[in-house]
């Protein structure tokens, strides 16, 4: 456990089995981390079960922030992130300085939009990325993106490489992270159009944190981790991949001893610490998400990553402006 | 073992460890299936090790077809599939009627191009699809595409649904296969542009073999199999997914007892039975590929699938002609 008080705003209404599972997960995290303070954001009656089992001393570590609207899975992101929803209220506690980080297992689109609206986006970041760390044979592998930015454009993939490199250096302390682009073979030229166009862009781009681009990697590398510490992909492919790996562990008789597929991901590209948990998160997944948010806050990760990006950002801005991604895929 | 003599042309030069692994795999398949005849396509000296261990009776089940050029992994598909390569020579044995099917672990692009050039493509099929069957908790799941057609266009996804439904009905005998479109959530509207555009196209389209479209599925469903018998995706996502699942099994301590991630896939859309094995195939993977090719031939799968498609094909042709996929993604 890293030292230092940290205040986490937990969205009680986010997730398929909210608020019960969220309350159980928050209790787990609370018990494991004596320096953790929680803001429970949701209907006060939903927080009652949490408070009733605490000692008076522990109760002083908890604040209830009333919010009554839930961001539904079928709402569009703008509607789901309107003021009054529990996720928007949780983000607001970070904006007003009463919390250090947000954890929500609600609809990802709502979490991304509420966070971008409330906390602002980093310069040059159009759409925040979701970053997940998977256990692998040779050590952790950071997969970016797992659902923040769904379209595979070369400049988006290049930005994911920069974000993933900085995150890996800061959050995991990996020296000189190796960054690979996920494709269907390792030889140059393998992949769909977006990957073929992105490969030389990534090769030409400076990476933060002493990271280096090692070229194309394959699906195996996400679970093996021998070739890359950071695996770069679009949010569609990353999301599908993460869930397929989770399914494969279920079929193989359980996750490896090093840990299963993560159900908590850090949101990168907004001006604060936000962790999104899977809608089907169980209590231990929620607890992992809270622990991840606490870890990132204690490391000063958002500021440290932003500092690492400051140099690379100019080049990204230029690419976005001249942009069209050198690839004109558009809806009619 | 299904009855009936079947003659398989095996590409001795395809695969990372060819010809040794291919010869070992062919020997395994040969020993397991007394009605199997093999055409070993490659340098006669490479076939020598195979022949030397056979009895005179078994030797009569083997023909050596000389070919000396290898389709390299870094060659482009057109160059790799030129006459004289072992894969083109293997396809030629099916064209001239001396073999019933081809198995190659060489570069997929070369196998696809050589097969399309030699055997012709089905009407309405621009680019053949690679179809893999994965073990899943609730029974086999057919994943289409795993590397034949890399760009995610709505009409391509719709064609993959038709091909996958017909393949599942014929090759696995699944009654009324359930067909799902791989995305990042199950609610309508979840996914990238291509998936959002494809979902209503798949819903409106008639499927062969009594199959029905059940909507969006997620990564878990590939390994669990509870929601769909056929999972439709683009070849980029499918290839990455298949390899990630293979890597996950390695990390989890081995494949499930129901079998690991397949390293042999059927090529659909060409006028003959072709099985592509993974370049890193081991001898048992090669043997599985040969067994799959034998199974498909004995079922008369190509003709049966073509017959199932006859009705759906008119609609596909129309879609391809009016096409542009209602989606104008293009390279400049």
């Amino acid at each position: 456990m890293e030292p230092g008080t940290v205040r986490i705003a937990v969205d009680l209404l986010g997730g398929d089995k909210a608020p019960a599972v969220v309350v159980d997960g928050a209790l787990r995290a609370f018990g494991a981390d004596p320096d953790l303070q929680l803001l429970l954001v949701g209907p006060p009656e939903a927080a009652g079960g949490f408070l009733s089992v605490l000692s008076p001393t522990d109760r002083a570590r908890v604040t209830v922030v009333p919010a009554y609207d839930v961001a539904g899975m079928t709402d569009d992101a703008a509607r789901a992130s309107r003021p009054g929803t529990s996720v928007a209220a949780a983000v607001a506690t970070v904006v007003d300085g009463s919390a250090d980080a947000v954890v929500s297992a609600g609809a990802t689109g709502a979490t991304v939009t509420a966070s971008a609206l409330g906390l602002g986006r980093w310069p040059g970041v159009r759409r925040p990325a979701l970053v997940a760390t998977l256990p692998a044979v040779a050590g952790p592998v950071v997969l970016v993106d797992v659902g923040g930015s769904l379209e595979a454009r070369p400049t988006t993939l290049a930005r994911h490489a920069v974000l993933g490199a900085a995150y890996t250096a800061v959050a995991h302390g990996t020296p000189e992270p190796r960054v690979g682009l996920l494709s269907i073979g390792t030889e140059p030229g393998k992949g769909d159009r977006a990957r073929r166009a992105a490969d030389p862009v990534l090769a030409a781009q400076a990476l933060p944190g002493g990271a280096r681009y090692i070229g194309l990697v394959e699906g195996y590398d996400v679970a093996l981790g021998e070739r890359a510490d950071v695996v770069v992909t679009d949010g569609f492919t990353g999301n599908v991949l993460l869930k397929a790996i989770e399914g494969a562990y279920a079929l193989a008789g359980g996750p490896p001893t090093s840990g299963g597929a993560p159900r908590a991901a850090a949101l990168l590209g907004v001006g604060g610490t936000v962790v999104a948990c899977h809608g089907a998160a169980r209590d231990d997944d929620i607890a992992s998400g809270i622990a991840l948010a606490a870890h990132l806050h204690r490391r000063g990760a958002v500021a440290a990553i932003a500092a690492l990006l400051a140099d690379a950002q100019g080049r990204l801005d230029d690419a976005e402006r001249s942009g069209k991604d050198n690839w004109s895929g558009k809806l009619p």
Side-chain angles (χ1 to χ4, degrees), chain A:
Chain A
M1 185 59 54
E2 297 154 306
T5 298
V6 59
R7 303 161 302 162
I8 310 279
V10 178
D11 173 8
L12 287 185
L13 294 180
D16 300 347
K17 293 180 182 166
V21 161
V22 181
V23 166
D24 289 350
L27 270 173
R28 269 187 183 241
F30 196 73
D33 184 347
D35 293 331
L36 179 65
Q37 298 185 5
L38 290 179
L39 290 83
L40 303 178
V41 186
E45 61 274 23
F50 188 100
L51 294 168
S52 64
V53 299
L54 298 182
S55 69
T57 316
D58 278 347
R59 228 175 279 179
R61 292 162 55 200
V62 182
T63 309
V64 176
V65 179
Y68 300 90
D69 290 351
V70 62
M73 290 299 285
T74 54
D75 292 341
D76 66 35
R79 187 179 148 73
S81 59
R82 67 198 180 281
T85 62
S86 55
V87 66
V91 169
T93 64
V94 176
V95 175
D96 71 18
S98 51
D100 301 312
V102 175
V103 174
S104 176
T108 304
T111 304
V112 172
T113 305
S115 301
L117 287 174
L119 299 165
R121 288 176 298 181
W122 294 346
V125 171
R126 270 185 197 160
R127 185 143 178 92
L130 276 168
V131 180
T133 301
L134 291 90
V137 172
V141 167
V142 169
L143 183 63
V144 49
D145 181 15
V146 299
S149 180
L150 300 180
E151 306 298 332
R153 294 191 190 90
T155 52
T156 308
L157 294 169
R159 189 170 57 235
H160 289 172
V162 171
L163 292 173
Y167 181 85
T168 304
V170 169
H172 296 294
T174 307
E176 302 182 4
R178 299 161 299 165
V179 177
L181 175 63
L182 188 61
S183 194
I184 62 165
T186 58
E187 304 87 359
K190 290 279 178 189
D192 61 359
R193 283 180 205 160
R195 267 30 81 151
R196 294 198 308 271
D199 182 35
V201 175
L202 268 72
Q205 167 180 262
L207 290 172
R212 62 184 194 280
Y213 178 61
I214 56 107
L216 303 181
V217 299
E218 296 183 88
Y220 323 106
D221 295 302
V222 175
L224 300 183
E226 282 154 7
R227 297 188 56 237
D229 305 299
V230 182
V231 171
V232 172
T233 192
D234 60 279
F236 180 86
T237 305
N239 184 287
V240 160
L241 201 67
L242 195 62
K243 292 173 179 170
I245 289 174
E246 187 175 335
Y249 289 152
L251 182 57
T257 50
S258 53
R263 285 180 151 186
L267 186 65
L268 285 194
V270 298
T273 304
V274 179
V275 168
C277 294
H278 194 294
R282 297 170 317 192
D283 56 354
D284 54 341
D285 300 317
I286 300 283
S288 297
I290 292 172
L292 173 60
H295 170 71
L296 293 175
H297 175 71
R298 285 170 172 144
R299 285 245 172 163
V302 168
I305 292 169
L308 278 180
L309 294 182
D311 178 55
Q313 199 61 63
R315 281 184 295 280
L316 276 179
D317 286 346
D318 293 345
E320 297 251 335
R321 265 196 300 272
S322 71
K324 312 295 184 288
D325 298 325
N326 192 26
W327 189 73
S328 61
K330 278 200 183 62
L331 278 172

